[in-house]
Amino acid sequence: MSDTKLSRAYLETLPSADLIALADDFGIDIPENLNRRFIIGELLEAAEDMDDSDDDLEESSEITTADLPETYNETVISAVLRNPVWLFVYWDVKKDHITQIRKSDKVQSLSLRVNMFHRDDSTVVADFFDVPISIEDRNRYVLLPAGFGAVRVDLVINLENDGYEVWSSTGLITLPYVSQRIANPLPEAPLSPVLKLSGLPELLRTHYMNHRQSFF
């Protein structure tokens, strides 16, 4: 169909055969021996409806992220693998829960509990570590250890007397295989032979493995 904007003056210049062909392009069923004036009227009405649809589409396409709310007022956590080593975690917290955190004397802190599983069909947590977060945080990159088949992240409030409560959890995320040398790149530091004999390298390795989130 031609991109020429339809008008009554333009349609009047077309022979009846072209009008019928144009109506067919618009999906208009034209009975036999229909007067040209009626065909032109149907075409103009169809063109007007199409213009209205295009205007609606343009208006809807103007919606940007600025039109989206900052929060959907629900406590939920999700995660996606950026690569085999880094996990991007993002979450939201209901206003009622934020109020509860601020008013409660029992809530000590918030954290992401990163649960590691040997297989993606396992229900037994093989290892875990906590990443401290603040009440204003809404996302965090987490460095994953190697040697596990799946991960799940819980949004946790830590209570007094070492208690805790899980508010939301991601699904179980299957992890691809990754070399230990890539996932656990222990920062190298020059050490004298005496310090090496003292056991400091092992102390540094243990500190890094237990607190590696603070290295990045």
Side-chain angles (χ1 to χ4, degrees):
M1 183 172 59
S2 173
D3 291 333
T4 302
K5 186 172 180 62
L6 297 185
S7 66
R8 182 173 295 275
Y10 168 71
L11 294 175
E12 290 286 1
T13 65
L14 299 179
S16 297
D18 289 350
L19 289 175
I20 294 174
L22 194 57
D24 187 59
D25 288 340
F26 275 98
I28 302 173
D29 186 21
I30 301 297
E32 292 184 8
N33 302 320
L34 186 64
N35 189 285
R36 280 175 54 89
R37 289 183 302 155
F38 289 103
I39 300 176
I40 292 173
E42 291 290 335
L43 286 170
L44 291 174
E45 185 176 342
E48 185 178 353
D49 291 342
M50 183 173 292
D51 289 341
D52 291 341
S53 298
D54 291 341
D55 291 341
D56 292 341
L57 184 60
E58 288 180 5
E59 290 177 4
S60 63
S61 65
E62 292 175 358
I63 297 176
T64 65
T65 54
D67 301 308
L68 300 177
E70 293 183 2
T71 176
Y72 288 93
N73 196 30
E74 57 182 353
T75 299
V76 63
I77 185 170
S78 301
V80 61
L81 278 175
R82 178 184 179 186
N83 55 45
V85 175
W86 286 99
L87 184 70
F88 180 67
V89 187
Y90 55 100
W91 62 92
D92 196 6
V93 182
K94 290 177 62 175
K95 293 180 180 179
D96 290 348
H97 282 164
I98 293 176
T99 302
Q100 178 182 339
I101 293 171
R102 287 174 172 163
K103 290 185 176 181
S104 176
D105 295 331
K106 296 181 179 180
V107 177
Q108 303 295 310
S109 62
L110 282 79
S111 63
L112 304 177
R113 175 151 297 185
V114 185
N115 304 280
M116 309 305 301
F117 300 81
H118 286 310
R119 300 185 310 275
D120 58 6
D121 60 349
S122 177
T123 58
V124 179
V125 176
D127 194 10
F128 74 89
F129 59 91
D130 289 340
V131 179
I133 58 174
S134 72
I135 195 172
E136 291 82 14
D137 290 335
R138 287 297 177 269
N139 58 74
R140 181 67 57 87
Y141 277 104
V142 176
L143 178 63
L144 299 175
F148 295 95
V151 60
R152 187 194 72 227
V153 185
D154 302 330
L155 180 60
V156 171
I157 56 169
N158 301 299
L159 307 174
E160 59 185 7
N161 300 322
D162 295 327
Y164 70 92
E165 182 179 337
V166 176
W167 269 358
S168 183
S169 300
T170 68
L172 203 62
I173 301 172
T174 302
L175 299 176
Y177 170 79
V178 61
S179 168
Q180 293 272 356
R181 296 184 64 182
I182 296 176
N184 302 320
L186 178 63
E188 296 183 0
L191 298 174
S192 67
V194 174
L195 288 178
K196 289 181 180 179
L197 290 174
S198 70
L200 183 59
E202 179 60 24
L203 179 63
L204 290 174
R205 190 195 71 82
T206 302
H207 177 74
Y208 173 76
M209 295 304 296
N210 291 333
H211 305 284
R212 58 187 175 277
Q213 302 300 324
S214 62
F215 282 73
F216 297 89

